[in-house]
Amino acid sequence: MVLNDAQIAQRATEHDMIDPFVGHQVRDDVVSYGLSSFGYDMRVADAFRVFTPNMFNSVVDPKDLDERALVETTTDDHILIPPNSYVLARSVEYFKMPRDVLGIVLGKSTYARSGIIVNVTPLEPGWEGHVTIEIGNGTPLPAKVYANEGIAQVVFMQGDAPQTSYADKKGKYQGQRGITLPRL
C-alpha cells in the first residue's frame, strides 16, 4: 500500500519518520517541498561535494573513491553544476524508516525537464539518516540547483515487516549524517 498524506503526517509526527517535517506543500517562488498527496518532497541542503577537473589522475571507483576528486562547498542560495558533471549532496531532512515501510525516491520533474538528473537509492525498512543525493547535469550548459528547496519526492510503501531490516543487518550507511561517500 502507498501511504497517503494523512498516513505520512502521522508517521512523521508520532514516529519521527521525517525531521524536520513540513506538513504542507511549499510552492511559492521555490522548487516545491513538503507533504504532498502521496509522498514527501525532500529538500537538498546547502552543502555539496563537486567532482573536480582530473588533476590527480583519479578514477571514479565505487570501491575506492579518491576523495581528492571531490571539493566540498556550501552555498546560501544555489550551486552551479558544470556541464556534463555531477555533485553529491544531502537531504535537509533526517529519515527514520519504520520496519514496515520502504521509501522510493524519485527526482522532481522541474529538474528533470531541465536536464538535471537526481538519483537516490531506496530508503530501506529500518534505515535512518540523511539521504545522500546524487545530482547529474546531463546538459552542455551549467545547471543551477537551489539549496534548501525541493529536489526529490519520497513515495512511502507499507507492507509486512521484513524478517531482517537494514538496522538488523547493521547496514553500512545506517545513521549517516552529511554527505556520505561510497563504502564497502
Side-chain angles (χ1 to χ4, degrees):
M1 167 178 81
V2 176
L3 298 181
N4 66 28
D5 50 2
Q7 294 163 320
I8 294 166
Q10 178 188 19
R11 288 189 179 245
T13 55
E14 293 177 14
H15 304 287
D16 296 325
M17 186 171 75
I18 306 168
D19 182 38
F21 175 70
V22 178
H24 61 283
Q25 193 155 63
V26 177
R27 303 173 57 121
D28 294 334
D29 298 322
V30 298
V31 179
S32 62
Y33 62 89
L35 186 63
S36 63
S37 301
F38 281 96
Y40 186 86
D41 291 356
M42 70 177 177
R43 294 168 287 173
V44 63
D46 59 359
F48 298 88
R49 303 273 316 252
V50 183
F51 278 89
T52 63
N54 198 2
M55 58 189 161
F56 301 109
N57 292 323
S58 297
V59 172
V60 178
D61 181 350
K63 291 184 177 182
D64 186 22
L65 188 63
D66 185 349
E67 288 196 46
R68 297 176 303 172
L70 294 154
V71 172
E72 194 163 338
T73 185
T74 57
T75 179
D76 292 331
D77 179 56
H78 69 273
I79 187 168
L80 288 178
I81 303 173
N84 302 306
S85 191
Y86 186 78
V87 301
L88 295 176
R90 74 162 177 92
S91 62
V92 168
E93 295 83 2
Y94 189 91
F95 291 85
K96 291 183 183 176
M97 299 304 296
R99 285 187 70 87
D100 62 345
V101 175
L102 170 73
I104 305 293
V105 182
L106 306 164
K108 292 185 65 66
S109 64
T110 300
Y111 281 120
R113 293 169 195 223
S114 302
I116 300 168
I117 310 303
V118 176
N119 182 56
V120 177
T121 56
L123 310 183
E124 294 188 39
W127 175 81
E128 73 171 74
H130 286 120
V131 178
T132 295
I133 306 165
E134 303 87 16
I135 307 168
N137 175 6
T139 76
L141 304 170
K144 189 181 278 192
V145 171
Y146 292 92
N148 299 305
E149 295 188 19
I151 192 71
Q153 183 178 69
V154 183
V155 176
F156 299 95
M157 302 176 72
Q158 182 179 6
D160 293 334
Q163 197 167 20
T164 306
S165 74
Y166 195 84
D168 295 338
K169 63 183 176 184
K170 297 179 179 24
K172 59 187 169 186
Y173 300 112
Q174 183 70 340
Q176 69 187 17
R177 296 190 177 272
I179 300 168
T180 304
L181 299 181
R183 298 177 178 159
L184 271 185

